[in-house]
Amino acid sequence: MPVGTQGTIKGLTNSQLEDIGCQIILGNTYHLALRPTSELLAEAGGLHKFMNWRRAMLTDSGGFQMVSLLHLADITEKGVTFQSPVDGKPMLLTPEESIQIQNRIGADIIMALDDVVKTTITGPRIEEAMYRTLRWIDRCIEAHGRPHDQNLFGIVQGGLDPVLRDICIKGLVDRNLPGYAIGGLAGGEDKDSFWRVVAQCTGSLPEDKPRYVMGVGYPLDVVVCSALGADMYDCVYPTRTARFGTALVPEGVLKLKQRAMADDTRPIDPTCPCMVCKNYSRAYIHCLVTKDAMGSQLLSYHNLYYMMQLSRDLHSSIVEGRFPKFVCDFLSKMFPEGNVPEWVCNAMEVAGIDISSCCTFSERVCNAKVAGIDISSDCTLSSSCGEHDSDNVSDKYDELKLKLERLRNNEDALRR
Amino acid sequence: MSLSLSSSLSLPLPLPLSNQFTTTPSLAMKFLVKKARGARVGALEIIHGNNNNNNNNIININTPNLIISTCKGLPHFISPDLLSSIPSSILQVSPLHFTAEGVSTNTVSKLGGLHQMLGLNKYCIVAVPRDSVQCIPQFKGATKFGPSFDTPSGRLLVKPKDYVETISCMKPNIWSALADEVPAWVSNKRNKSSVDRTLKWLDECLALNPETGSIFGAIVGGSNLEERKRCTEEVAKRNVSGYWIGGFGLGESMDERPALLSAITDVLPDEKPRMICGLGLPEEILQGIAAGIDLFDSTYIYTLTLGGFALTFPLDKNGDQHNLQPSEIESDSTKINLRATAYRNDTSPILEDCSCYTCKNHTKAYINHLLNVHEMLAQILLEIHNTHHYLMFFEVIRDAIQDGRFEKFRQTFLESRRVPFQAISA
């Protein structure tokens, strides 16, 4: 689900979203309630009509933004107290109010207000938040005015504690909701804990209801969570990273701001059939990104196309019974050296998918050592370039090219 | 002044087809124009392709018309897939955008030129250094070696040799020669030197003989009638495919313009197209068309779009502006400012009978919201509507010229405006 915070996916028109095959978008209740206000949206016949979006739509509860955007949010049993960004006065968002606002916005899927805590926090606060989320879900169900038009999803909380997650899941499933979300993740926890929570939740949530992992959207995370049995994702990553000049490609990411791109006449992804890759070179996109609106527009288009294509491929490979092969192909493109992260290997083992064919990391390292070259630093280069300034990157790029060439020569020599 | 002869694009002497029409045949461009004093309609045919083989695209442009201004080859906010919904096939590109961005001409050449790089093979691309948005002519920086421009990456001096080399790599269909554009207030001496330099640079460009596109000779001369005439006469002697008129929109008054424009178009041969830079408002467009100008740049659309404005003036066949939408908040009734709170609840499109993507799909309330929350889609939707509306304005004008009622159209248009232009500019 591409994120359209304020009633628009940044930089794209509805017709473009339809062209790239987007079926559902997400709106942020908090932003929409501030501007243009839920009352105005209701008057216009709901957000669908207001923005003329004919396909599906989901709104979040607004609770997350309050905690993430506002420093002075205080959560009590009544609701979330926060400082109004308009006049600075303290305001209260209760579960009832969140649902009423979402009823007025009129999305097809609405989210219950949950008590969001950082996953990195430990101690009794996690437990408190989980139980409060369960108490609030009843208030949400009670307040829901349009249960026949809008599907209320409950959110599983409980931090990284399997016992708390289990209590939460049981409590929510008892309420027999139309769908369930796995919340409180993608907030800085380590990947190994992240996938374990997803695996635990998908393992005990009902088979016949959709499962939505909130705030997850890196391509690799989407593939892993899908393998674990999750169905829906949302993330600002594809469009946000586009605005900073990064393209999503099967090999990982491509930083178009790098100086090396200025003379690169290839498309962003030669295997991608999207409008941008069919028409434009990296060199041209390079001169647009982070300077002109068109750079954001074209890269957002490509990145969302990439995510939609990934979702379609996941779907069809599962339907056609070739999902394990798809996962292996995906991983071997992203990690051509075979250095698939350990957490992915662990998650795939639990998901029952054999990825040994693309996990040849240890073997490669041995080979490289024989050739007298340390490849471990190179393997991570593509993902860490962004932290350097552009001058360093171009130097590094040349250095890497040289290294690769040497590696190839050595390999040839070894073969002979 | 020596007469430079270019062989690759040499134009045979104009051959009259009939009493009414003359054509300018060339390898890459044909122009058919109805001979008339003042306002005129024409058909520009661009033959786009590598050679004379079958792969050539023919691009037809009716004149008078608008050239869509771009930033690095694409309209500021309209991506290529949306561009196809706009009834236009002529774009203006400033080659300096790429020089300033560090994209080497070598790379552009490797990609096969601007058309390939932009994925726009069905468009006529016009290269003009000045774009009035990012590349502003800077008369103080110009030297006898070349004109100077203020660009986002600093001041840039463009020498004819480098310019022609860039053009050869970019392969536009039409390109203007370099011009030393000076504002209206400069001394006669400076104005005279600007004409001398512009002519010298044109000769240098012609002498370099690039085998690409059709060159339009640049005409300058500021607000001095004599200099304008001298420059035009000299440029008209040279072997060019058309004319690019510069030095307007740089401080001259609306009142002195008709005389300046006539001084130029009276001298120019009828059978070659005339392009102008710096005229934008509807009134200015009408001034230009009345003087016999064929092509206009569209910086005005960009300015409107950035300001949150949408064009709403009636496209009445006779130019009648009495049916302007009632509006109490606008000072100028040709357009509305969608930022205004009055549009917060307005669930109607910008114009009910407009057929553009924006009006077909979105309401004023939605665009007002997008502007309020600083979303890029606001500019996308506004640029689509404004470009579409202005192109329709040109269509209405062409019909009026065709039917021989342009003068009446122009008078009606100007007189029926609720707020006369003089009052605004005063």
Side-chain angles (χ1 to χ4, degrees), chain A residues 5-16 19 32 35-37 40 43-44 49-52 54 243 257 262-265 275 279-281 283-284 286-288 291-294 296-298 301, chain B residues 71-82 98 101-104 107 110-111 116-120 134 344-345 347 357 360-363 365-367 369-370 372-377 380-381 384:
Chain A
T5 298
Q6 319 200 79
T8 158
I9 310 289
K10 290 191 193 301
L12 295 179
T13 62
N14 290 349
S15 62
Q16 290 179 317
D19 286 347
L32 292 166
R35 285 179 304 190
T37 73
L40 187 117
E43 213 179 293
K49 239 185 131 188
F50 183 70
M51 66 178 286
N52 193 25
R54 300 175 191 90
R243 294 197 296 281
K257 211 57 228 171
D263 300 315
D264 198 330
T265 55
M275 176 270 288
N279 288 311
Y280 298 104
S281 58
Y284 183 61
H286 167 83
C287 80
L288 295 178
K291 286 200 180 106
D292 302 303
M294 192 50 68
S296 309
Q297 289 183 33
L298 294 179
Y301 187 103
Chain B
C71 172
K72 295 170 193 163
L74 289 177
H76 298 269
F77 302 103
I78 309 174
S79 59
D81 51 329
L82 298 167
F98 301 103
E101 282 305 327
V103 175
S104 72
T107 306
K110 237 170 35 190
L111 286 164
Q116 294 297 321
M117 179 163 81
L118 303 169
L120 298 172
Q134 290 188 347
R344 220 176 98 81
N345 295 306
T347 53
Y357 175 84
K360 283 271 169 246
N361 289 288
H362 295 292
T363 63
Y366 183 54
I367 301 172
H369 163 69
L370 293 175
N372 274 337
V373 296
H374 308 289
E375 282 285 354
M376 212 190 300
L377 186 58
I380 299 175
L381 296 177
I384 291 176

Side-chain angles (χ1 to χ4, degrees), chain B residues 164-399:
Chain B
V164 168
E165 198 184 299
T166 306
I167 292 293
S168 302
C169 291
M170 295 191 169
K171 303 185 182 68
N173 301 102
I174 295 172
W175 55 287
S176 79
L178 294 170
D180 185 17
E181 293 186 81
V182 292
W185 59 81
V186 296
S187 67
N188 279 339
K189 195 180 155 218
R190 178 67 181 88
N191 204 4
K192 189 175 171 304
S193 75
S194 97
V195 173
D196 293 340
R197 283 173 182 176
T198 303
L199 291 171
K200 179 173 160 271
W201 298 335
L202 174 59
D203 288 335
E204 285 176 36
C205 285
L206 287 169
L208 288 159
N209 190 16
E211 298 191 5
T212 187
S214 308
I215 183 171
F216 277 30
I219 295 167
V220 293
S223 300
N224 186 315
L225 278 172
E226 286 313 308
E227 287 302 320
R228 282 280 176 191
K229 232 171 114 181
R230 179 169 77 93
C231 189
T232 312
E233 277 164 0
E234 285 301 323
V235 174
K237 283 182 200 162
R238 282 154 176 83
N239 188 12
V240 292
S241 305
Y243 305 95
W244 181 83
I245 302 164
F248 281 98
L250 295 174
E252 78 282 5
S253 77
M254 280 284 278
D255 298 335
E256 59 183 322
R257 222 180 260 148
L260 288 167
L261 289 169
S262 304
I264 298 164
T265 52
D266 283 351
V267 178
L268 289 177
D270 283 338
E271 69 279 2
K272 291 182 188 176
R274 302 134 179 196
M275 189 189 297
I276 200 162
C277 189
L279 301 190
L281 299 167
E283 291 79 1
E284 295 180 311
I285 299 289
L286 291 171
Q287 265 188 345
I289 290 175
I293 306 288
D294 304 305
L295 293 162
F296 296 80
D297 77 310
S298 67
T299 311
Y300 175 57
I301 299 297
Y302 175 69
T303 320
L304 285 177
T305 301
L306 278 197
F309 288 98
L311 285 173
T312 52
F313 66 86
L315 295 173
D316 178 70
K317 178 168 155 295
N318 299 312
D320 193 349
Q321 299 296 299
H322 280 123
N323 296 329
L324 280 172
Q325 292 193 328
S327 153
E328 287 111 41
I329 43 171
E330 314 295 344
S331 59
D332 171 4
S333 42
T334 56
K335 55 189 191 286
I336 56 172
N337 187 347
L338 283 165
R339 281 185 213 278
T341 44
Y343 303 112
R344 220 176 98 81
N345 295 306
D346 194 331
T347 53
S348 62
I350 297 168
L351 285 175
E352 286 292 350
D353 52 358
C354 177
S355 62
C356 80
Y357 175 84
T358 306
C359 290
K360 283 271 169 246
N361 289 288
H362 295 292
T363 63
K364 293 203 267 286
Y366 183 54
I367 301 172
N368 171 263
H369 163 69
L370 293 175
L371 286 166
N372 274 337
V373 296
H374 308 289
E375 282 285 354
M376 212 190 300
L377 186 58
Q379 280 79 42
I380 299 175
L381 296 177
L382 283 175
E383 193 177 24
I384 291 176
H385 170 78
N386 288 332
T387 308
H388 187 271
H389 194 76
Y390 229 39
L391 287 167
M392 292 299 119
F393 178 52
F394 275 86
E395 195 176 301
V396 175
I397 294 172
R398 283 195 300 272
D399 288 346

Side-chain angles (χ1 to χ4, degrees), chain A residues 291, chain B residues 96-97 99-102 134-138 141 147-158:
Chain A
K291 286 200 180 106
Chain B
L96 307 188
H97 288 173
T99 321
E101 282 305 327
Q134 290 188 347
C135 297
I136 314 291
Q138 188 39 260
S148 164
F149 297 88
D150 275 345
T151 76
S153 30
R155 194 167 285 186
L156 211 63
L157 186 82
V158 187

Side-chain angles (χ1 to χ4, degrees), chain B residues 29-88:
Chain B
M29 188 187 94
K30 283 180 192 155
F31 186 58
L32 192 74
V33 67
K34 209 173 184 176
K35 256 186 170 179
R37 269 259 167 271
R40 58 194 211 152
V41 281
L44 186 65
E45 189 182 286
I46 303 291
I47 300 108
H48 176 63
N50 302 327
N51 302 304
N52 299 343
N53 59 27
N54 305 333
N55 290 333
N56 286 342
N57 256 329
I58 300 210
I59 303 154
N60 290 301
I61 297 133
N62 293 324
T63 62
N65 217 327
L66 187 70
I67 308 178
I68 297 182
S69 80
T70 68
C71 172
K72 295 170 193 163
L74 289 177
H76 298 269
F77 302 103
I78 309 174
S79 59
D81 51 329
L82 298 167
L83 186 60
S84 55
S85 76
I86 287 175
S88 168

